[in-house]
Amino acid sequence: MNENVMVMIPEEDVVKRIKELGDEITRDYKGKTIHLVCILKGAAFFATELAKRIKVPVKMDFMATSSYGQNSVSSGEIQITKELDLDPKDQDVLVVEDIIDSGHTLNFLEGYFKDKGVKSVKLCALLDKPDRREVIVNASYIGFSIPDKFVVGYGLDYAQKYRNLPYIATVEVE
Ligand code: IMP
Ligand code: MG
């Protein structure tokens, strides 16, 4: 099968937008320490680039979730497949995700961190597909809103491939 990969958001636009988000987050968290939680694997590239653009102190933690069983359709049931290393209690948590699709993952994570007794929790995603939303998500920071197309690159994969592309691309399987 042929996989047709086409650029949707060029590298320079992604880099510029991440810098803008870093500036905005820096302003919003003035005088605070950010407890940044990167959702593996998709957000790994975005979260590290974003962290480098933030000018207040940042702690980094990583967790992994899964919502998809065998199919590529979200089951709505989120499982934690890699636990946190650091205790987020009393911290100003910033959850960094690659993309908001159905919304189930970030909707679940917001509640998950509130239950852990955090001081605050805000949500950040590089990409958003608003047309696909099934549950409400209150994200404070969004890189780009995109149409309902399957995308790869900058951490996002198709069958574990294309995460290393330095831009966002659509992939169509022929
Ligand atoms: P949600 O829980 O439906 O919002 O799903 C979010 C997760 O679905 C993301 O973290 C991605 O892993 C995955 N996902 C959703 N859309 C795409 C896409 O277009 N490309 C790659 N992964 C996607
Ligand atoms: Mg993901």
Side-chain angles (χ1 to χ4, degrees):
M1 266 195 289
N2 222 16
E3 289 165 14
N4 199 2
V5 176
M6 278 171 304
V7 178
M8 177 190 258
I9 307 172
E11 181 174 9
E12 63 202 73
D13 292 6
V14 178
V15 170
K16 182 167 169 270
R17 184 71 187 120
I18 293 175
K19 188 174 181 305
E20 287 170 2
L21 288 173
D23 289 342
E24 194 181 335
I25 290 167
T26 300
R27 282 196 298 275
D28 292 352
Y29 285 86
K30 194 165 181 275
K32 296 179 178 169
T33 294
I34 296 175
H35 192 98
L36 192 158
V37 177
C38 166
I39 310 304
L40 296 172
K41 303 171 189 168
F45 292 70
F46 172 46
T48 53
E49 289 304 312
L50 179 66
K52 287 193 278 183
R53 299 297 180 181
I54 295 173
K55 303 287 188 283
V56 298
V58 175
K59 296 182 191 171
M60 300 276 296
D61 204 355
F62 298 85
M63 70 186 292
T65 59
S66 97
S67 63
Y68 295 0
Q70 298 294 84
N71 331 326
S72 64
V73 179
S74 178
S75 64
E77 222 171 278
I78 309 301
Q79 283 146 16
I80 294 173
T81 55
K82 186 213 170 293
E83 290 285 351
L84 297 167
D85 290 327
L86 308 175
D87 185 359
K89 190 173 188 303
D90 298 328
Q91 303 296 307
D92 288 306
V93 172
L94 181 63
V95 180
V96 178
E97 188 35 325
D98 52 0
I99 188 165
I100 314 175
D101 187 35
S102 70
H104 285 291
T105 304
L106 282 182
N107 180 279
F108 165 82
L109 287 173
E110 185 175 15
Y112 174 83
F113 281 103
K114 283 182 174 162
D115 288 348
K116 295 260 177 202
V118 297
K119 195 194 290 172
S120 68
V121 56
K122 283 196 193 184
L123 310 174
C124 173
L126 176 61
L127 302 172
D128 181 18
K129 291 199 269 196
D131 297 344
R132 302 259 307 167
R133 199 74 84 253
E134 290 171 16
V135 289
I136 292 170
V137 172
N138 301 307
S140 301
Y141 309 101
I142 299 283
F144 301 92
S145 278
I146 61 168
D148 180 11
K149 293 236 168 80
F150 195 83
V151 290
V152 294
Y154 229 89
L156 291 109
D157 73 303
Y158 171 68
Q160 297 300 328
K161 290 183 295 182
Y162 305 116
R163 292 192 197 278
N164 59 313
L165 296 178
Y167 47 81
I168 302 296
T170 54
V171 58
E172 277 164 18
V173 181
E174 289 165 351

